[in-house]
């Protein structure tokens, strides 16, 4: 239930993202900074993350909730560009790696989404996002975030 406690606090985030995901002709990556603050909810059974991308003029929020009955996490994302809560990815951790899967759409095409979280010690973490057009037979890595802690965890909301 406390799998995401490592993420509580404030972080600088180095982003690397494919400029045109799922376009076989593209291989161009964009790099940009981010800043995030993660606060605990429900005694560790949830958290909320506020993320800003200062050079892009955008922001987002992540809500993570632990389903006690299923013993799985659901991760929801919302972006300031859309104001919409995207469908969740669901999963959990095995050791210091967390895998989360879900169904979504990208540019009108149905896709599978895979998030991977890596706990890299008390002051570092990594998140990766992959898309699949073939139901998960093959995956395209399209976004990597490297987190460096800038401040301690704060009290829950």
């Amino acid at each position: 239930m406390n799998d995401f406690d490592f993420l509580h606090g404030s972080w600088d985030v180095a982003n690397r993202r494919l400029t045109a995901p799922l376009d076989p002709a593209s291989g161009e990556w964009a790099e940009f900074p981010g800043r995030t603050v993660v606060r605990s909810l429900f005694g560790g059974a949830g958290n909320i993350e506020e993320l800003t991308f200062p050079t892009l003029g955008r922001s987002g929020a992540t809500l993570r909730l632990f389903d006690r009955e299923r013993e799985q996490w659901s991760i929801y994302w919302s972006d300031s560009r859309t104001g919409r809560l995207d469908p969740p990815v669901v999963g959990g951790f095995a050791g210091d790696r967390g895998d989360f899967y879900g169904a979504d759409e990208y540019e009108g095409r149905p896709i599978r989404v895979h998030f991977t979280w890596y706990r890299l010690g008390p002051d570092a973490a990594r998140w990766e996002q992959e898309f699949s057009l073939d139901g998960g037979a093959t995956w395209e890595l399209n976004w990597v975030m490297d987190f460096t802690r800038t401040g301690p965890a704060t009290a829950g909301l």
Side-chain angles (χ1 to χ4, degrees):
M1 173 176 96
N2 296 92
D3 292 321
F4 279 104
D5 284 0
F6 74 97
L7 199 55
H8 300 162
S10 56
W11 302 80
D12 281 339
V13 184
N15 291 271
R16 186 171 169 261
R17 185 175 186 201
L18 268 180
T19 58
L22 303 176
D23 179 352
S26 175
E28 182 180 338
W29 290 81
E31 296 186 14
F32 51 94
R35 292 186 190 97
T36 193
V37 175
V38 181
R39 292 178 181 85
S40 179
L41 298 171
F42 313 135
N47 65 53
I48 189 159
E49 176 179 0
E50 296 176 79
L51 180 61
T52 58
F53 305 107
T55 61
L56 302 180
R58 293 175 26 199
S59 59
T62 302
L63 176 64
R64 298 178 187 90
L65 299 170
F66 186 74
D67 182 322
R68 294 168 194 261
E69 186 176 310
R70 292 184 177 158
E71 297 186 351
Q72 291 184 318
W73 286 92
S74 293
I75 303 174
Y76 301 86
W77 168 253
S78 183
D79 187 294
S80 63
R81 292 176 305 156
T82 65
R84 185 180 65 234
L85 194 62
D86 290 346
V89 292
V90 177
F93 278 84
D96 287 331
R97 177 185 168 129
D99 288 285
F100 307 87
Y101 295 89
D104 204 342
E105 275 189 13
Y106 184 78
E107 295 183 342
R109 296 185 282 181
I111 60 168
R112 296 282 301 155
V113 179
H114 176 215
F115 289 0
T116 307
W117 272 101
Y118 298 95
R119 292 185 286 221
L120 303 175
D123 297 322
R126 174 176 271 207
W127 172 86
E128 296 177 349
Q129 175 180 271
E130 296 177 303
F131 290 167
S132 176
L133 287 170
D134 58 14
T138 60
W139 294 93
E140 176 193 74
L141 178 67
N142 59 55
W143 197 340
V144 177
M145 296 175 144
D146 287 310
F147 291 70
T148 304
R149 185 178 300 281
T150 59
T154 57
L157 296 173

